[in-house]
Amino acid sequence: AQRVTQPEKLLSVFKGAPVELKCNYSYSGSPELFWYVQYSRQRLQLLLRHISRESIKGFTADLNKGETSFHLKKPFAQEEDSAMYYCALKLYSGAGSYQLTFGKGTKLSVIP
Amino acid sequence: GAGVSQTPSNKVTEKGKYVELRCDPISGHTALYWYRQSLGQGPEFLIYFQGTGAADDSGLPNDRFFAVRPEGSVSTLKIQRTERGDSAMYLCASSFFSGANVLTFGAGSRLTVL
């Protein structure tokens, strides 16, 4: 089965400390992965995708096919980073259809 | 509108009743997705529309759930004979292209079945 695992439900770090949100995936094809974020009282929104190799709000994520991981990292956490973070895997479901399958999410809490 | 609009934002109903949840995607977005999110879980795929047709309905949990998008814009998720286990946040998302690359989500409709 194709799936996404986020092992931590809650991660607390101090402001200025490094952050790493873990994501592992299981997929038989060539994976395409995303990180979505939901800030308090806001909508779920795209943070970044591996195919773009971008850094957004200081966050980066590298796809490691050997370890089947796509961990989200930031060298210095800020209070405004506190949010729910979801890792998502794009699945091809046949006949030109795609869907995203999401992990259960990790709540990041940055302590001032 | 500027974003994906979902109505109602909150719906409380009794077990056995019929419910409709509406999604108005971003204008011009041809792809539309419905997800369900239970407490403490990530969004769970329900159905995907490309234009007017349901391209993938493999996530619908049973035949009490049905969705339509008759004109390729607004979509309605319909739940018959609601059960307490249907209580969840129902999220709609749209995308300019098919392919689930960048999804823009609505604020969701929170359904509570008493």
Coordinates of all heavy atoms in Angstrom, one line a residue, chain B residues 26-89:
Chain B
I26 N -11.9 27.9 -7.3 CA -11.4 29.1 -8.0 C -11.8 29.0 -9.4 O -11.7 28.0 -10.1 CB -9.9 29.1 -7.8 CG1 -9.5 29.4 -6.3 CG2 -9.2 30.2 -8.7 CD1 -8.0 29.2 -6.0
S27 N -12.2 30.2 -9.9 CA -12.6 30.3 -11.3 C -11.5 29.8 -12.3 O -10.4 30.3 -12.1 CB -13.0 31.7 -11.6 OG -13.4 31.9 -13.0
G28 N -11.9 28.9 -13.2 CA -10.9 28.5 -14.1 C -10.2 27.2 -13.7 O -9.5 26.6 -14.5
H29 N -10.3 26.8 -12.5 CA -9.7 25.6 -12.0 C -10.6 24.4 -12.5 O -11.7 24.3 -12.1 CB -9.6 25.5 -10.5 CG -8.4 26.3 -10.0 ND1 -8.0 26.2 -8.7 CD2 -7.6 27.2 -10.6 CE1 -6.9 26.9 -8.5 NE2 -6.7 27.6 -9.7
T30 N -10.0 23.5 -13.3 CA -10.7 22.4 -13.8 C -10.7 21.2 -12.9 O -11.6 20.4 -13.0 CB -10.1 22.0 -15.2 OG1 -8.8 21.6 -15.0 CG2 -10.2 23.1 -16.2
A31 N -9.8 21.1 -12.1 CA -9.7 19.9 -11.2 C -10.2 20.3 -9.8 O -9.9 21.3 -9.3 CB -8.2 19.5 -11.0
L32 N -11.0 19.4 -9.2 CA -11.7 19.6 -7.9 C -11.6 18.3 -7.1 O -11.9 17.2 -7.6 CB -13.1 20.1 -8.1 CG -13.9 20.5 -6.8 CD1 -14.9 21.6 -7.2 CD2 -14.6 19.3 -6.2
Y33 N -11.2 18.5 -5.9 CA -11.0 17.3 -5.0 C -11.9 17.5 -3.7 O -12.0 18.6 -3.2 CB -9.6 17.2 -4.5 CG -8.6 17.0 -5.7 CD1 -8.1 18.0 -6.5 CD2 -8.1 15.7 -5.9 CE1 -7.3 17.8 -7.5 CE2 -7.2 15.5 -6.9 CZ -6.8 16.6 -7.7 OH -5.9 16.4 -8.7
W34 N -12.4 16.4 -3.2 CA -13.0 16.4 -1.9 C -12.1 15.5 -1.0 O -11.7 14.4 -1.4 CB -14.4 15.8 -1.9 CG -15.5 16.8 -2.4 CD1 -16.0 16.8 -3.7 CD2 -16.1 17.8 -1.7 NE1 -16.9 17.8 -3.8 CE2 -17.1 18.4 -2.5 CE3 -16.0 18.2 -0.3 CZ2 -17.9 19.5 -2.1 CZ3 -16.9 19.3 0.1 CH2 -17.8 19.9 -0.8
Y35 N -11.9 16.0 0.2 CA -11.2 15.2 1.2 C -12.0 15.3 2.5 O -12.8 16.2 2.7 CB -9.8 15.9 1.5 CG -8.7 15.5 0.5 CD1 -8.6 16.3 -0.7 CD2 -7.8 14.5 0.7 CE1 -7.7 16.0 -1.6 CE2 -6.8 14.2 -0.2 CZ -6.8 15.0 -1.4 OH -5.8 14.6 -2.3
R36 N -11.8 14.3 3.4 CA -12.4 14.3 4.7 C -11.3 14.2 5.7 O -10.3 13.4 5.6 CB -13.3 13.0 4.8 CG -14.0 12.9 6.2 CD -15.0 11.8 6.1 NE -14.5 10.5 6.0 CZ -15.3 9.4 6.1 NH1 -16.6 9.5 6.3 NH2 -14.8 8.2 6.0
Q37 N -11.4 15.0 6.8 CA -10.4 15.0 7.8 C -11.1 14.8 9.2 O -11.9 15.6 9.6 CB -9.6 16.3 7.8 CG -8.5 16.3 8.8 CD -7.6 17.5 8.6 OE1 -8.0 18.6 8.1 NE2 -6.3 17.4 9.0
S38 N -10.8 13.7 9.8 CA -11.2 13.4 11.1 C -10.2 13.9 12.1 O -9.1 14.2 11.8 CB -11.4 11.9 11.3 OG -12.4 11.4 10.3
L39 N -10.7 14.0 13.4 CA -9.8 14.6 14.4 C -8.5 13.8 14.6 O -8.5 12.6 14.7 CB -10.6 14.6 15.7 CG -10.1 15.6 16.8 CD1 -10.2 17.0 16.2 CD2 -10.9 15.5 18.0
G40 N -7.4 14.5 14.5 CA -6.1 13.9 14.7 C -5.6 13.1 13.5 O -4.6 12.4 13.6
Q41 N -6.3 13.3 12.4 CA -5.9 12.6 11.1 C -5.5 13.6 10.1 O -5.9 14.8 10.1 CB -7.0 11.7 10.6 CG -7.4 10.6 11.7 CD -6.4 9.6 12.0 OE1 -5.7 9.1 11.1 NE2 -6.2 9.3 13.3
G42 N -4.8 13.1 9.1 CA -4.6 14.0 7.9 C -5.8 13.9 7.0 O -6.7 13.0 7.1
P43 N -5.9 14.8 6.0 CA -7.0 14.7 5.0 C -6.9 13.4 4.3 O -5.9 12.9 3.9 CB -6.6 15.9 4.1 CG -5.8 16.8 4.9 CD -5.0 15.9 5.8
E44 N -8.1 12.8 4.1 CA -8.3 11.5 3.4 C -9.1 11.8 2.1 O -10.2 12.3 2.1 CB -9.1 10.6 4.4 CG -9.5 9.3 3.8 CD -10.5 8.6 4.7 OE1 -11.1 9.2 5.6 OE2 -10.7 7.4 4.5
F45 N -8.5 11.3 1.0 CA -9.1 11.5 -0.3 C -10.5 10.9 -0.4 O -10.7 9.7 0.0 CB -8.2 10.9 -1.4 CG -8.7 10.9 -2.7 CD1 -8.8 12.1 -3.5 CD2 -9.2 9.7 -3.3 CE1 -9.3 12.0 -4.8 CE2 -9.7 9.7 -4.6 CZ -9.8 10.8 -5.3
L46 N -11.4 11.6 -1.0 CA -12.7 11.0 -1.3 C -13.0 10.9 -2.8 O -13.2 9.8 -3.3 CB -13.8 11.9 -0.7 CG -13.9 12.0 0.8 CD1 -15.0 13.0 1.3 CD2 -14.1 10.7 1.5
I47 N -12.9 12.0 -3.5 CA -13.2 12.0 -4.9 C -12.6 13.1 -5.7 O -12.3 14.2 -5.1 CB -14.8 12.1 -5.1 CG1 -15.2 11.9 -6.5 CG2 -15.3 13.4 -4.5 CD1 -16.7 11.7 -6.7
Y48 N -12.3 12.9 -6.9 CA -11.6 13.9 -7.8 C -12.5 14.1 -9.1 O -12.8 13.1 -9.7 CB -10.2 13.4 -8.1 CG -9.6 14.0 -9.4 CD1 -9.4 15.3 -9.5 CD2 -9.1 13.1 -10.4 CE1 -8.8 15.8 -10.7 CE2 -8.5 13.6 -11.5 CZ -8.3 14.9 -11.6 OH -7.7 15.4 -12.8
F49 N -12.7 15.4 -9.4 CA -13.4 15.7 -10.6 C -12.4 16.4 -11.6 O -11.6 17.2 -11.2 CB -14.5 16.7 -10.4 CG -15.7 16.1 -9.7 CD1 -15.8 16.1 -8.3 CD2 -16.7 15.6 -10.5 CE1 -16.9 15.5 -7.7 CE2 -17.9 15.0 -9.9 CZ -18.0 15.0 -8.5
Q50 N -12.5 16.0 -12.8 CA -11.8 16.7 -13.9 C -12.9 17.2 -14.8 O -13.5 16.5 -15.5 CB -10.8 15.8 -14.6 CG -10.1 16.5 -15.7 CD -9.3 17.8 -15.3 OE1 -8.7 17.7 -14.2 NE2 -9.3 18.8 -16.1
G51 N -13.2 18.5 -14.7 CA -14.3 19.1 -15.4 C -15.6 18.6 -14.8 O -15.7 18.7 -13.5
T52 N -16.5 18.1 -15.5 CA -17.8 17.6 -15.0 C -17.8 16.2 -14.5 O -18.7 15.8 -13.7 CB -18.9 17.8 -16.0 OG1 -18.6 16.9 -17.2 CG2 -19.1 19.2 -16.5
G53 N -16.8 15.4 -14.9 CA -16.8 14.0 -14.6 C -16.0 13.6 -13.4 O -14.9 14.2 -13.2
A54 N -16.5 12.7 -12.7 CA -15.7 12.1 -11.5 C -14.6 11.2 -12.1 O -14.9 10.1 -12.5 CB -16.6 11.4 -10.6
A55 N -13.4 11.7 -12.1 CA -12.3 10.9 -12.7 C -11.9 9.8 -11.7 O -11.3 8.8 -12.2 CB -11.1 11.8 -13.0
D56 N -12.1 10.0 -10.4 CA -11.6 9.0 -9.5 C -12.5 9.1 -8.2 O -12.4 10.2 -7.5 CB -10.1 9.2 -9.1 CG -9.6 8.2 -8.1 OD1 -10.4 7.3 -7.7 OD2 -8.4 8.3 -7.8
D57 N -13.3 8.2 -8.0 CA -14.2 8.2 -6.8 C -13.8 7.1 -5.8 O -14.7 6.6 -5.0 CB -15.7 8.2 -7.2 CG -16.1 6.9 -7.8 OD1 -15.2 6.0 -8.1 OD2 -17.3 6.7 -8.2
S58 N -12.6 6.6 -5.9 CA -12.2 5.4 -5.2 C -12.2 5.7 -3.7 O -12.1 4.7 -2.9 CB -10.8 4.9 -5.6 OG -9.9 6.0 -5.4
G59 N -12.2 6.9 -3.2 CA -12.1 7.2 -1.8 C -13.4 7.3 -1.1 O -13.5 7.4 0.1
L60 N -14.5 7.3 -1.9 CA -15.8 7.4 -1.2 C -16.0 6.1 -0.4 O -15.9 5.0 -0.9 CB -16.9 7.5 -2.3 CG -16.9 8.8 -3.1 CD1 -18.1 8.8 -4.1 CD2 -17.1 10.0 -2.2
P61 N -16.4 6.3 0.9 CA -16.4 5.1 1.8 C -17.5 4.1 1.5 O -17.3 2.9 1.8 CB -16.5 5.8 3.2 CG -17.1 7.1 3.0 CD -16.6 7.6 1.6
N62 N -18.6 4.6 1.0 CA -19.7 3.7 0.7 C -20.7 4.4 -0.1 O -20.5 5.6 -0.5 CB -20.3 3.2 2.0 CG -20.7 4.3 3.0 OD1 -21.5 5.2 2.6 ND2 -20.1 4.3 4.1
D63 N -21.8 3.7 -0.5 CA -22.7 4.3 -1.4 C -23.7 5.3 -0.8 O -24.6 5.9 -1.5 CB -23.6 3.2 -2.1 CG -24.4 2.4 -1.2 OD1 -24.4 2.7 0.0 OD2 -25.0 1.4 -1.6
R64 N -23.5 5.6 0.4 CA -24.2 6.8 1.0 C -23.6 8.1 0.6 O -24.3 9.1 0.7 CB -24.2 6.7 2.5 CG -24.9 5.5 3.1 CD -25.1 5.5 4.6 NE -23.7 5.5 5.3 CZ -23.2 6.6 5.8 NH1 -23.8 7.8 5.8 NH2 -22.0 6.5 6.4
F65 N -22.4 8.1 0.1 CA -21.7 9.3 -0.3 C -21.7 9.4 -1.8 O -21.5 8.4 -2.5 CB -20.2 9.2 0.1 CG -20.0 9.4 1.6 CD1 -20.3 8.3 2.5 CD2 -19.5 10.6 2.1 CE1 -20.1 8.5 3.9 CE2 -19.3 10.7 3.5 CZ -19.6 9.7 4.4
F66 N -22.0 10.6 -2.3 CA -22.1 10.9 -3.7 C -21.7 12.3 -3.9 O -22.0 13.2 -3.1 CB -23.5 10.6 -4.2 CG -23.7 10.6 -5.7 CD1 -23.1 9.6 -6.5 CD2 -24.3 11.7 -6.3 CE1 -23.2 9.6 -7.8 CE2 -24.5 11.7 -7.7 CZ -23.9 10.7 -8.5
A67 N -21.1 12.6 -5.1 CA -20.8 14.0 -5.4 C -21.0 14.3 -6.8 O -20.9 13.4 -7.7 CB -19.3 14.3 -5.0
V68 N -21.4 15.5 -7.1 CA -21.7 15.9 -8.5 C -21.0 17.3 -8.8 O -20.6 18.0 -7.8 CB -23.2 16.1 -8.7 CG1 -23.9 14.7 -8.6 CG2 -23.8 17.1 -7.8
R69 N -20.8 17.5 -10.1 CA -20.2 18.8 -10.5 C -20.8 19.0 -11.9 O -20.1 18.9 -12.9 CB -18.7 18.7 -10.5 CG -18.0 20.0 -10.7 CD -16.5 19.9 -10.8 NE -15.8 21.2 -10.8 CZ -14.6 21.3 -11.3 NH1 -13.9 20.3 -11.8 NH2 -14.0 22.5 -11.2
P70 N -22.0 19.3 -12.0 CA -22.8 19.3 -13.3 C -22.3 20.2 -14.3 O -22.4 19.9 -15.5 CB -24.2 19.6 -12.8 CG -24.1 20.3 -11.5 CD -22.9 19.7 -10.9
E71 N -21.8 21.4 -13.9 CA -21.3 22.4 -15.0 C -19.8 22.6 -14.9 O -19.3 23.5 -15.5 CB -22.1 23.7 -14.7 CG -23.6 23.5 -14.9 CD -24.4 24.8 -14.7 OE1 -23.8 25.8 -14.3 OE2 -25.6 24.7 -14.8
G72 N -19.1 21.7 -14.2 CA -17.7 21.8 -14.2 C -17.2 22.9 -13.3 O -16.0 23.2 -13.4
S73 N -18.0 23.4 -12.5 CA -17.5 24.5 -11.5 C -17.9 24.1 -10.1 O -17.2 23.3 -9.5 CB -18.1 25.8 -11.9 OG -17.7 26.8 -11.0
V74 N -19.1 24.5 -9.6 CA -19.5 24.2 -8.3 C -19.7 22.7 -8.1 O -20.2 22.0 -9.1 CB -20.8 24.9 -7.9 CG1 -21.4 24.4 -6.6 CG2 -20.5 26.4 -7.9
S75 N -19.3 22.2 -7.0 CA -19.5 20.7 -6.7 C -20.3 20.6 -5.4 O -20.2 21.4 -4.5 CB -18.2 20.0 -6.6 OG -18.4 18.7 -6.2
T76 N -21.1 19.5 -5.3 CA -21.9 19.3 -4.1 C -21.6 17.8 -3.7 O -21.7 16.9 -4.5 CB -23.4 19.4 -4.4 OG1 -23.7 20.7 -4.9 CG2 -24.2 19.2 -3.1
L77 N -21.2 17.7 -2.4 CA -21.0 16.4 -1.8 C -22.3 16.0 -1.1 O -22.8 16.8 -0.2 CB -19.8 16.4 -0.9 CG -19.5 15.1 -0.1 CD1 -19.1 14.0 -1.1 CD2 -18.4 15.3 0.9
K78 N -22.8 14.9 -1.3 CA -24.1 14.5 -0.8 C -23.9 13.3 0.1 O -23.3 12.3 -0.3 CB -25.1 14.2 -1.9 CG -25.2 15.3 -2.9 CD -26.2 15.0 -4.0 CE -26.3 16.2 -5.0 NZ -27.5 16.2 -5.8
I79 N -24.5 13.3 1.3 CA -24.4 12.2 2.2 C -25.8 11.8 2.6 O -26.5 12.6 3.2 CB -23.5 12.5 3.4 CG1 -22.2 13.2 3.0 CG2 -23.3 11.3 4.3 CD1 -21.4 13.7 4.2
Q80 N -26.1 10.6 2.3 CA -27.5 10.1 2.7 C -27.4 9.3 4.0 O -26.3 8.7 4.4 CB -28.0 9.1 1.6 CG -28.2 9.8 0.3 CD -28.6 8.8 -0.8 OE1 -28.1 7.7 -0.9 NE2 -29.5 9.2 -1.6
R81 N -28.5 9.3 4.7 CA -28.6 8.5 6.0 C -27.4 8.6 6.8 O -26.7 7.7 7.1 CB -28.8 7.0 5.6 CG -30.0 6.8 4.7 CD -30.3 5.3 4.4 NE -29.1 4.6 3.8 CZ -28.7 4.7 2.6 NH1 -29.4 5.4 1.7 NH2 -27.7 4.0 2.1
T82 N -27.1 9.8 7.2 CA -25.9 10.1 7.9 C -25.7 9.3 9.2 O -26.7 8.9 9.9 CB -25.8 11.6 8.3 OG1 -27.0 12.0 9.0 CG2 -25.6 12.5 7.1
E83 N -24.5 9.0 9.5 CA -24.1 8.2 10.7 C -23.2 9.0 11.5 O -22.5 9.9 11.0 CB -23.5 6.9 10.3 CG -24.4 6.0 9.5 CD -23.7 4.7 9.0 OE1 -22.5 4.6 9.3 OE2 -24.4 3.9 8.4
R84 N -23.1 8.7 12.8 CA -22.2 9.5 13.7 C -20.8 9.5 13.2 O -20.0 10.4 13.4 CB -22.3 9.0 15.1 CG -23.7 9.3 15.7 CD -23.7 9.1 17.3 NE -25.1 9.4 17.7 CZ -26.1 8.6 17.8 NH1 -25.9 7.3 17.5 NH2 -27.3 8.9 18.3
G85 N -20.4 8.4 12.6 CA -19.0 8.2 12.1 C -18.7 9.1 10.9 O -17.6 9.2 10.5
D86 N -19.7 9.8 10.4 CA -19.5 10.7 9.2 C -19.1 12.0 9.8 O -18.7 12.9 9.0 CB -20.8 10.9 8.4 CG -21.3 9.6 7.8 OD1 -20.5 8.7 7.6 OD2 -22.5 9.5 7.6
S87 N -19.1 12.3 11.1 CA -18.7 13.5 11.6 C -17.2 13.8 11.3 O -16.4 12.9 11.7 CB -18.9 13.5 13.1 OG -20.3 13.4 13.4
A88 N -17.0 14.9 10.7 CA -15.6 15.2 10.3 C -15.6 16.6 9.7 O -16.6 17.2 9.5 CB -15.1 14.2 9.3
M89 N -14.4 17.1 9.3 CA -14.2 18.2 8.5 C -14.2 17.8 7.0 O -13.3 16.9 6.7 CB -13.0 19.0 8.9 CG -12.7 20.2 8.0 SD -13.9 21.6 8.3 CE -13.1 22.3 9.8

